[in-house]
Amino acid sequence: MTGKRTVVVAWVVALAASALAAVPAGADTRAGGGYSAADLRKDLAAVRAAGGGDINVVARVDRRGEGPLRARYGTAGVGSKAPVPWEPEFRVASTTKTFTAVVVLQLVAEHKLSLDDTVDHWLPGVVSGHGNDGRLITVRDLLQQTSGIYNYVEDPDVQDRMINHFDENRFDDTPPEQLVAIAMSHPPLFTPGGGRWAYSNTNYLLAAMIAEKASGGQDWRELVEHRVIAPLGLRHTYIPGADPYLVGPHERVTITGPDGKPVDLTDQSFQHTADSGVVSTPGDLNTFFRALASGTVLPAAQLAEMRTTVPYDDLPVPPAGTQGGYGLGLRVVPLTCGGTYDMHEGDGLGVYTRPAVSADGRRAVTLSITTTTALIDQDKVNRAVETLTDHALCGRASS
């Protein structure tokens, strides 16, 4: 992407974002086809019920030429009487992967790297040992989750620190190179090239490390900030890194500990890397995904690459009746009204992000879900979220 194109994109998207922000929140008219604020509240109540009722939920729908629809249930935290903020900041967890993939694809468009480059070309010897071989894995494999590399988050010691000893480790800021080394202590799940798919956070640590080298040494945070956040005017989106604190209005995230007392998960540094480190709001995520889908973030060739998918098997079959596919940091999911939508979920420590956008960028919906007592049944919640998303993007009233 040339400097001139970046300036034009920034101006166009910022202007569009300003126009959206100027629409009063009270302008909750029906979306084309009949989806209303009342429908959103009904669908969001079903999401909350699927989570056992002990969750806080916020949803926002943005539509071209119409005012936003918004709904919320819950309070700002255990013991609080204040409602959930309309635009809470939250850790978007794995939705960060879409931001990281965009940066990599922009570098591809600028011919600074290729999707067919091997990991070993950029990071010699980093992916090796226990059967791992960076000479066999491409940048495309990393972004599409077809590398077979072990997911460092699944390592028993990492799990133990996060789940059983959270308080002692809440400020853990282990650098990505060490997290990759943890993954390398495990054999790969499979050899790439056979059409197999398996989700691994390690892939995106490596993708960011490659982007840093290809860009001449810029940190991945700077790449996302300068190439995505600033041009799109995402004023409530940032990457705190090791800083454990959120700076704007947000909810307290809690679970009930073994002793029956709440454990506050809000302030933590675990999610500080390129697989999970972005903080955002429903409005900003809708702006980002609408800009992406409408072609103002990536050239057409790279957006097409992003939407070229392989089958996945880790989410429920959506209401359309057929499973979607995983592209390059993006899931492409069918709609009951025809066509598809783009999304990438984020599952963090008691925080679950569900953004989605119609393929033409006309409509977007983002849900933020946070726990108050226990972690959610993700399968049940995902099914309810898929129903809400289908209704909102098809403009169809809930039954």
Side-chain angles (χ1 to χ4, degrees):
M1 185 180 293
T2 65
K4 182 178 180 181
R5 175 177 169 81
T6 301
V7 172
V8 172
V9 168
W11 178 78
V12 171
V13 177
L15 184 63
S18 297
L20 279 173
V23 178
D28 282 350
T29 57
R30 284 186 173 270
Y35 196 70
S36 69
D39 294 316
L40 179 60
R41 287 193 294 270
K42 181 178 179 181
D43 283 341
L44 192 62
V47 171
R48 194 175 193 225
D54 293 322
I55 57 175
N56 295 326
V57 287
V58 178
R60 174 171 172 148
V61 179
D62 282 297
R63 307 148 300 161
R64 187 178 301 167
E66 301 179 73
L69 305 178
R70 298 191 291 188
R72 62 184 178 179
Y73 292 96
T75 66
V78 173
S80 171
K81 295 182 179 180
V84 177
W86 280 117
E87 283 292 317
E89 292 181 356
F90 50 88
R91 302 179 197 279
V92 308
S94 283
T95 302
T96 298
K97 292 179 175 64
T98 307
F99 287 81
T100 300
V102 163
V103 165
V104 172
L105 287 165
Q106 286 180 351
L107 293 171
V108 169
E110 295 163 12
H111 306 291
K112 293 181 178 178
L113 62 87
S114 168
L115 289 172
D116 296 321
D117 288 344
T118 66
V119 173
D120 210 59
H121 171 78
W122 289 101
L123 306 171
V126 170
V127 175
S128 61
H130 295 90
N132 294 286
D133 191 342
R135 298 171 299 178
L136 304 178
I137 299 167
T138 65
V139 174
R140 187 190 307 276
D141 287 323
L142 297 178
L143 296 183
Q144 198 158 50
Q145 308 280 16
T146 53
S147 72
I149 293 174
Y150 184 85
N151 186 358
Y152 77 88
V153 175
E154 299 297 327
D155 179 83
D157 289 340
V158 174
Q159 287 280 303
D160 185 55
R161 291 201 305 273
M162 286 194 301
I163 296 172
N164 300 321
H165 302 282
F166 178 83
D167 270 333
E168 303 101 293
N169 295 283
R170 69 167 62 240
F171 304 126
D172 186 305
D173 60 350
T174 303
E177 293 81 3
Q178 291 184 30
L179 298 175
V180 169
I182 290 172
M184 293 304 102
S185 69
H186 299 268
L189 303 180
F190 52 81
T191 301
R196 296 182 64 183
W197 180 92
Y199 195 92
S200 174
N201 288 278
T202 314
N203 287 326
Y204 276 76
L205 301 185
L206 290 163
M209 291 163 65
I210 290 172
E212 290 173 346
K213 280 206 167 184
S215 66
Q218 276 189 288
D219 183 81
W220 82 271
R221 293 170 59 186
E222 294 175 338
L223 290 168
V224 173
E225 289 165 354
H226 296 167
R227 289 172 170 267
V228 181
I229 294 174
L232 296 184
L234 306 180
R235 297 184 179 277
H236 303 287
T237 300
Y238 55 98
I239 304 171
D243 185 340
Y245 304 112
L246 305 182
V247 299
H250 59 277
E251 307 152 63
R252 304 305 298 182
V253 183
T254 57
I255 59 172
T256 301
D259 58 0
K261 297 179 180 178
V263 178
D264 194 315
L265 307 177
T266 313
D267 304 327
Q268 49 95 359
S269 302
F270 272 114
Q271 294 166 241
H272 65 282
T273 45
D275 57 331
S276 61
V278 169
V279 170
S280 193
T281 64
D284 271 10
L285 286 179
N286 281 353
T287 297
F288 168 60
F289 276 93
R290 290 177 70 188
L292 177 60
S294 61
T296 56
V297 173
L298 288 174
Q302 279 66 50
L303 181 57
E305 290 275 17
M306 202 173 195
R307 286 171 164 165
T308 301
T309 65
V310 295
Y312 61 74
D313 58 4
D314 62 333
L315 290 180
V317 176
T322 56
Q323 191 59 279
Y326 197 97
L328 306 183
L330 203 65
R331 295 186 195 257
V332 180
V333 185
L335 286 163
T336 58
C337 53
T340 61
Y341 66 89
D342 303 328
M343 62 86 72
H344 200 298
E345 78 294 343
D347 296 323
L349 296 168
V351 180
Y352 308 88
T353 309
R354 296 293 183 271
V357 63
S358 59
D360 59 5
R362 293 181 62 87
R363 293 179 184 161
V365 55
T366 291
L367 282 75
S368 169
I369 302 166
T370 57
T371 59
T372 60
T373 57
L375 300 180
I376 65 171
D377 182 325
Q378 287 185 219
D379 187 69
K380 287 183 179 179
V381 169
N382 283 336
R383 291 179 190 279
V385 169
E386 286 178 341
T387 298
L388 184 154
T389 300
D390 195 81
H391 289 165
L393 298 184
C394 285
R396 178 174 299 161
S398 58
S399 58

